Amino acid sequence: MFPQRISELYRTPVTHQPPPALELAGNLEYPNLNVADLNARLENLSPRLHDCWDSIAINDHNHLALATNRREGRHWWGMLFGYGRDQMHHMTVDSANFKLQAEHTVNIVRYAEDDVLLVALGDTRLQAWSTYSKVRDSQSLYCLFLVGESSAHPTPISQLSVFKAEPRTAVSGSADGTLNVWDLSGADMVSTYRSRSSHTDKLTALATSEASADKFVTCDRGGCARLWDVRAAAPSSTCLYADASHVLSFTSAAWAAASELQGDNHIYLGDYDGRVHTLDIRVPRKLAETREYFDKGHVAQLIINGPYLAAMSNFPASVKVANVQAGHEFIYTHQDTHSRLTDAVWTDDSTLITIGHGRKMVTHAIK
């Protein structure tokens, strides 16, 4: 063992007296204190469109809500912007109708009504914002006003969907299996239906019906899909499918439009192997059909638009649109859309917009 006096060689010299941390920037006398120098620099928190475009939503008036995040360094935070349809291809900080800077990431945005926007933050909070009002300020119709806020999920919200049949009702889910159904009809945001353990495996997707405000479907990583009815007095669900072979791993879900031949009885589930499975809620525990959409990469997201089903994948980022009434015939394909695809919306019957990291926004015209 070394003598105790040898440790004196490793002590900080008495002459080493650096200036305060705020004065270290550009100081050449103490060049080895890079961490202290970096911590002393003021972070640039000015409003801006970050490189990570993570979520997009559109209402019936073609107003867009966009969430961008800074996902680098030790401090992650995000920005929320609102634009009109005519500003879609010229999005800047100054041209936004409204904007909001958040201390945490803005993970998901979804319009509940034309003037109410749901915002899921990275710190588990769900907020409801009023975005447009003729009463509050007649000179500036676009203005943000917080309607309600809740931290009802123990982990960040990973899934958020609004019932189109009743826009004042929405459902949120987190990866730990917690589900909440929200009522926005009052002056606040109230959870009317809650389940703390909806799945035994990681919750990966949920989807709501266009024709009903009573039912929604969830699926998990273990190949299980469940149908929920919010009219029940206590949280309960019906097992639509359970993979006993441990081969399937569901990643996304979409509820068929009522205009389809089968009405709103079909559920589409994407899996980790790039396939899309069809379930009929009238015939549970049986797959009605299975189609391969991607030979590489999993199905990251499914969005229905009448007879058109848009499927998005990553690794590489790709988009495919199929006509489900014509046997899932592919009518549109686009490769290498983004470095990472994060979200998408239909703006009309034949236009799909995708956003992501890298190439931030891409418009897909379906003919």
Side-chain angles (χ1 to χ4, degrees):
M1 184 175 182
F2 291 108
Q4 187 67 28
R5 61 184 177 84
I6 299 298
S7 62
E8 295 179 2
L9 297 175
Y10 302 98
R11 292 177 180 175
T12 302
V14 179
T15 57
H16 186 85
Q17 297 179 354
L22 292 176
E23 301 177 12
L24 276 173
N27 191 301
L28 302 179
E29 298 297 328
Y30 301 93
N32 295 326
L33 299 180
N34 296 330
V35 175
D37 184 7
L38 181 62
N39 293 337
R41 297 176 183 176
L42 296 178
E43 189 171 9
N44 181 11
L45 298 178
S46 60
R48 58 188 184 274
L49 286 164
H50 297 285
D51 291 335
C52 298
W53 290 28
D54 287 320
S55 187
I56 189 171
I58 189 170
N59 62 13
D60 291 337
H61 295 311
N62 285 326
H63 296 158
L64 291 168
L66 176 68
T68 71
N69 293 297
R70 178 184 185 268
R71 296 184 180 273
E72 59 183 11
R74 58 191 178 89
H75 185 198
W76 289 12
W77 57 281
M79 288 286 302
L80 169 66
F81 298 92
Y83 297 97
R85 178 67 181 273
D86 55 343
Q87 302 166 308
M88 185 175 64
H89 298 292
H90 305 281
M91 293 182 176
T92 64
V93 174
D94 296 331
S95 65
N97 293 326
F98 60 83
K99 50 182 173 286
L100 175 69
Q101 188 171 6
E103 296 180 355
H104 303 272
T105 56
V106 183
N107 293 349
I108 309 175
V109 291
R110 294 290 183 265
Y111 272 105
E113 292 184 304
D114 290 336
D115 57 352
V116 176
L117 183 68
L118 295 177
V119 180
L121 299 176
D123 63 343
T124 76
R125 283 183 296 168
L126 179 65
Q127 297 177 334
W129 290 87
S130 172
T131 62
Y132 184 93
S133 175
K134 296 181 180 179
V135 178
R136 191 177 305 114
D137 190 345
S138 59
Q139 302 299 321
S140 179
L141 300 179
Y142 289 97
C143 53
L144 288 175
F145 177 79
L146 186 62
V147 176
E149 180 181 82
S150 177
S151 299
H153 287 265
T155 58
I157 294 172
S158 57
Q159 305 294 329
L160 180 62
S161 182
V162 175
F163 290 91
K164 292 185 178 181
E166 178 49 69
R168 291 179 177 267
T169 306
V171 58
S172 60
S174 50
D176 66 330
T178 302
L179 292 173
N180 277 281
V181 177
W182 302 95
D183 181 10
L184 306 172
S185 59
D188 201 355
M189 186 173 59
V190 180
S191 177
T192 60
Y193 187 93
R194 176 179 173 85
S195 174
R196 295 186 179 180
S197 55
S198 59
H199 287 263
T200 57
D201 214 321
K202 179 182 178 181
L203 179 69
T204 53
L206 66 83
T208 55
S209 170
E210 291 187 359
S212 171
D214 301 325
K215 299 185 289 294
F216 65 94
V217 66
T218 59
C219 60
D220 65 21
R221 184 175 55 183
C224 177
R226 308 195 70 86
L227 178 67
W228 301 80
D229 193 329
V230 300
R231 295 170 297 183
S236 60
S237 62
T238 302
C239 180
L240 288 180
Y241 188 79
D243 179 34
S245 62
H246 304 288
V247 173
L248 295 180
S249 180
F250 295 135
T251 57
S252 53
W255 199 302
S259 59
E260 284 194 29
L261 297 177
Q262 298 296 329
D264 61 340
N265 296 312
H266 278 180
I267 307 294
Y268 302 110
L269 300 173
D271 70 8
Y272 194 82
D273 295 321
R275 296 170 298 182
V276 174
H277 308 275
T278 303
L279 280 173
D280 192 330
I281 62 176
R282 299 165 298 183
V283 187
R285 299 182 181 274
K286 180 181 179 180
L287 294 176
E289 190 178 14
T290 297
R291 296 278 182 170
E292 182 177 302
Y293 272 57
F294 303 100
D295 56 354
K296 296 180 181 179
H298 61 277
V299 182
Q301 189 175 6
L302 293 171
I303 304 180
I304 195 74
N305 184 18
Y308 298 144
L309 177 65
M312 277 68 70
S313 177
N314 277 305
F315 312 115
S318 306
V319 176
K320 286 189 176 182
V321 179
N323 187 338
V324 294
Q325 293 184 357
H328 289 260
E329 177 187 358
F330 294 121
I331 60 175
Y332 178 85
T333 301
H334 194 282
Q335 299 287 338
D336 298 323
T337 311
H338 307 270
S339 58
R340 181 175 182 270
L341 196 154
T342 55
D343 204 359
V345 291
W346 286 97
T347 58
D348 54 44
D349 292 340
S350 59
T351 305
L352 176 72
I353 292 179
T354 59
I355 63 169
H357 304 176
R359 191 180 178 187
K360 299 172 183 177
M361 176 179 285
V362 177
T363 301
H364 309 268
I366 314 300
K367 296 182 181 180

